[in-house]
Amino acid sequence: MCSVVNFNINGYHYKLPVIYGTFCEKAINISKLRESTGFITFDPGFKNTGITKSSISFIDGEKGELLYRGYPIEQIINQCSFIETSYLILNGELPNTAQLKSFSEKIKKFNSIHKEINKILDNIPNSYHPMGILSFLTHILDAFINNSLREEDLYLHLLAKLPILAALTYRKKIGLPPTYADPHLDYTSNLLKMFFSIPNQSYELNPIISDALNKILILHADHEQNCSTTTVRLLGSAHAGLFASISAGMSALWGKLHGGANQAVIEMLEAILKSGGNIKKWIEKAKNKKDPFRLMGFGHRIYKNFDPRAKIAKKVAENVIQQLGISDPILELAKDVERKALQDSYFLEKKLYPNIDFYSGIIYQAIGIPKEMFTVMFALGRLPGWMAHWKEMKLNKDPIGRPRQIYIGYKKRNIKKK
Ligand code: SDX
């Protein structure tokens, strides 16, 4: 393994150090590049650029593997709850029984919100997308939580309060009154009850639905330097507050090319169904450079193989639909689209496989979550990852993020007023 790279520019010889990761990913450390050569690098979308060293999650895009703090996602999904996973991602180790009990109890201690938030929510137009509402309410939470609290408590406040804000957002949309957390229930059962309970009616828990939600939240818990996580780190590097940073991460996640894809996948599948189910026509559309349409839920910046989360989400979707005894033509269509796309050389050559968003929406729909709320559910799952990266950025003492650019505008010129 080389420890430096040597290169020549205009006859001058330079060397730069190489750094290696746990799995021998290698990086040329260019932090002194401009100082020593006068050059910067150019890498739109950071496709070849590492912005930090992190120990939270690791993706092997070629093999299609994902680890949370070293544990394969396939083991976590079968042996851990979302709260255990949140503890792992935030603290680096799985909790023992006492640690899990204390973590869960503290979250329950914080699972209420200031009454003013309901008044603020009443003044937000009902037409506003739930992701905009959630991002706004997360930002304004800062006004109601004493920021002199220990940082660990701020994380627990957010884990406790985000499901409440999500449920309030959903209930506002469908005209149901606000509801309160039930401290006797586990995290996902409480979340479902806050969403779906009807005043003056008893709410019947369904363990199948609770388990499916638990799994889908775990699948979203962290994913290296994705767009929204890097957004959270960038704000944190400027010493913006935790709530403002998480709120900004939500705004980034809202984008259709990122977390908004889960809603776009279902809308795409519904459009295919509505237009007669001619999958080949839609696949040709996605391949046509002149057509802005993309096969939503396919492709990934890092995975050049199956997204392991998509494989798990597909099984969870099949199980929950089969256990609930519902038939869902969208799931059958999704499996057909996957089959046909992966028989097409365009997708195989470009290594475009289904990503998490291709099947996640089918699970949300099966458990009663409406399309507009899909990305909100993604945010609830990604919260532990966002907070862990914000925490790690501070522990790493990362400098404020401030990339350079290549200027291609006017040369210096003088104002000549006419
Ligand atoms: C998430 O980063 C993360 O980890 C994100 C995420 C997470 O957990 O945080 O995994 C969650 O955001 C998953 C991705 C959800 N988005 C979608 O499903 C939207 C559809 N996918 C694409 O828009 C695209 O694949 C991206 C945005 C996901 C990745 O884009 P890249 O890495 O910038 O790749 P690219 O746009 O340069 O595409 C490479 C080629 C292009 O063709 P050429 O110009 O080389 O001829 O592949 C083509 C693209 O046109 N292509 C697609 C396609 N995705 C890429 N063609 C048709 N349909 C697609 N979906």
Side-chain angles (χ1 to χ4, degrees), residues 47 223 257 294-295 297-298 300-301 309 346 350 382:
K47 294 192 175 186
H223 214 234
L257 292 188
R294 286 196 158 183
L295 199 64
F298 262 72
H300 198 275
R301 174 63 59 76
R309 305 169 300 171
Y346 172 92
K350 293 180 186 294
R382 186 52 51 88

Side-chain angles (χ1 to χ4, degrees), residues 254-266:
W254 190 2
K256 261 180 98 166
L257 292 188
H258 189 14
N262 51 23
Q263 178 177 345
V265 166
I266 296 294

